[in-house]
Amino acid sequence: MWSIGELAEHAGVSVKTVRFYSDRGLLPESARSSGGHRRYGPGAVDRLRLIRSLRTLDLPVPEVSRVLDEEDALEDVIAGQLRELGSRLAALRWREAALQLLQDCTPQERAERLRLIGAVPIPPDTTELARFWRRWLPPRLPASLVSAVVDQAIPQPPTDPTPAQVLAFARLFAFVSGVCVAAAHCQPAAHRTDKGYRPAVLYEGLSEAYALASPELRARRPGREGEALDCFVSAYARSHGTRDTPGFRRGLAGVLAEDPRIDRYWQLVAELTGPSQPTAGAAHDWLLDALDAQTGRAGSAPSTSKDT
């Protein structure tokens, strides 16, 4: 049986350290001397060294206690600490890029950029973006379809952002926090329930059409006829309960040209994710160009509809 001083000497730590861990229940004493002094058994040295190793990794005392008391806790504790550390590192990288953004701008730009950056939580999350899309999408879509559309439409903040990406995300955050998309005049015609549309059919088809158009975008081909366009038009025709005919295509081109748009959203997403990942908005524009070219609307005057 060792005294607190002897244990400290064998473990290469101070008496104060031994007392600290003892008082917190990490290093239970085996007995007390006749004078009331703590006594520790031979296993205390190994236990104290393990405690010191875990604390060197900056594990909190409660987590160290779990590892000591639960046989299989170490793996779970390590995974949790890695997640926490990853979040802290992401926050630091974001702050570094944000500070660089402020350092590299002109004094005239600094006030606006401070306002934009200051509104974004650190580390950034996509809660506001998800809320925006749930307001933008038509009502009564199946929950699984809403989740699929939201997952496709929302970019994840980069873990190691450039200053330009910080600015793009901050502007995107400000955009979704400030625009009104619930009013009827802000919604595309296909979102309005009084037109006989079946929006679930539409969005299922659009997702497939966008996927077919993505290789064309990556190859930088102009909008053209083909499987992607046929799938795109078919989604609108089926959602409207009608057939895909030349007359329907001409009418659809005119309706879509007048629909409210969220081009600014997709522009900022593209700035955030880069050209290698075509957005759903870019795919939609490519398909509109293909439809306009087929129906003879190519080169017509641009729409004056509100850009929401």
Side-chain angles (χ1 to χ4, degrees):
M1 303 294 288
W2 289 334
S3 69
I4 192 170
E6 290 169 333
L7 176 59
E9 182 178 355
H10 279 85
V13 299
S14 67
V15 169
K16 183 179 179 181
T17 297
V18 177
R19 185 175 291 113
F20 175 85
Y21 293 135
S22 294
D23 290 344
R24 279 154 183 77
L26 299 181
L27 191 65
E29 60 200 53
S30 297
R32 291 268 177 164
S33 69
S34 57
H37 299 293
R38 308 180 204 215
R39 292 290 183 265
Y40 299 91
V45 173
D46 289 338
R47 187 177 177 92
L48 181 54
R49 286 173 177 161
L50 176 57
I51 293 169
R52 291 287 292 163
S53 296
L54 295 171
R55 289 291 290 157
T56 300
L57 295 172
D58 206 26
L59 264 66
V61 169
E63 297 294 83
V64 173
S65 180
R66 278 190 63 199
V67 173
L68 295 172
D69 296 340
E70 301 174 23
E71 185 176 349
D72 299 324
L74 181 58
E75 185 173 347
D76 184 51
V77 168
I78 289 172
Q81 289 297 301
L82 285 172
R83 286 193 298 271
E84 181 181 341
L85 185 59
S87 179
R88 287 161 56 191
L89 287 173
L92 288 172
R93 293 189 190 105
W94 191 269
R95 286 175 56 194
E96 180 183 29
L99 290 169
Q100 189 69 51
L101 177 68
L102 295 172
Q103 184 181 56
D104 294 343
C105 70
T106 65
Q108 293 76 18
E109 295 172 316
R110 194 159 291 146
E112 180 192 4
R113 292 188 177 185
L114 271 171
R115 177 183 59 81
L116 289 169
I117 293 169
V120 179
I122 296 180
D125 64 49
T126 58
T127 303
E128 283 299 319
L129 277 68
R131 186 175 292 117
F132 165 83
W133 275 100
R134 293 181 189 281
R135 295 198 312 268
W136 168 261
L137 291 170
R140 293 186 293 280
L141 282 182
S144 59
L145 182 56
V146 171
S147 296
V149 172
V150 169
D151 287 346
Q152 183 186 44
I154 294 180
Q156 292 303 310
T159 56
D160 191 8
T162 64
Q165 286 175 314
V166 167
L167 182 58
F169 188 86
R171 285 174 170 163
L172 186 62
F173 190 90
F175 176 82
V176 299
S177 302
V179 298
C180 172
V181 296
H185 67 274
C186 294
Q187 296 279 303
H191 291 187
R192 297 167 196 162
T193 56
D194 59 343
K195 298 294 185 180
Y197 280 100
R198 292 183 293 164
V201 173
L202 173 64
Y203 271 89
E204 287 172 354
L206 289 180
S207 179
E208 182 180 355
Y210 296 159
L212 290 170
S214 290
E216 304 283 346
L217 284 163
R218 292 191 184 95
R220 300 183 180 278
R221 299 189 185 101
R224 59 181 182 173
E225 297 181 28
E227 185 181 7
L229 178 60
D230 290 344
C231 182
F232 179 72
V233 175
S234 175
Y236 279 97
R238 288 186 291 108
S239 70
H240 198 57
T242 189
R243 293 183 302 110
D244 176 6
T245 64
F248 177 80
R249 293 197 175 205
R250 287 191 296 272
L252 178 63
V255 169
L256 295 182
E258 298 301 322
D259 262 347
R261 301 173 62 83
I262 49 173
D263 293 339
R264 179 60 173 162
Y265 179 93
W266 294 116
Q267 176 190 347
L268 292 168
V269 170
E271 291 178 14
L272 186 66
T273 59
S276 63
Q277 301 181 47
T279 67
H284 192 85
D285 286 345
W286 187 93
L287 290 160
L288 286 182
D289 288 345
L291 182 61
D292 287 344
Q294 185 185 63
T295 60
R297 287 185 56 87
S300 60
S303 169
T304 58
S305 60
K306 179 180 178 181
D307 182 359
T308 61

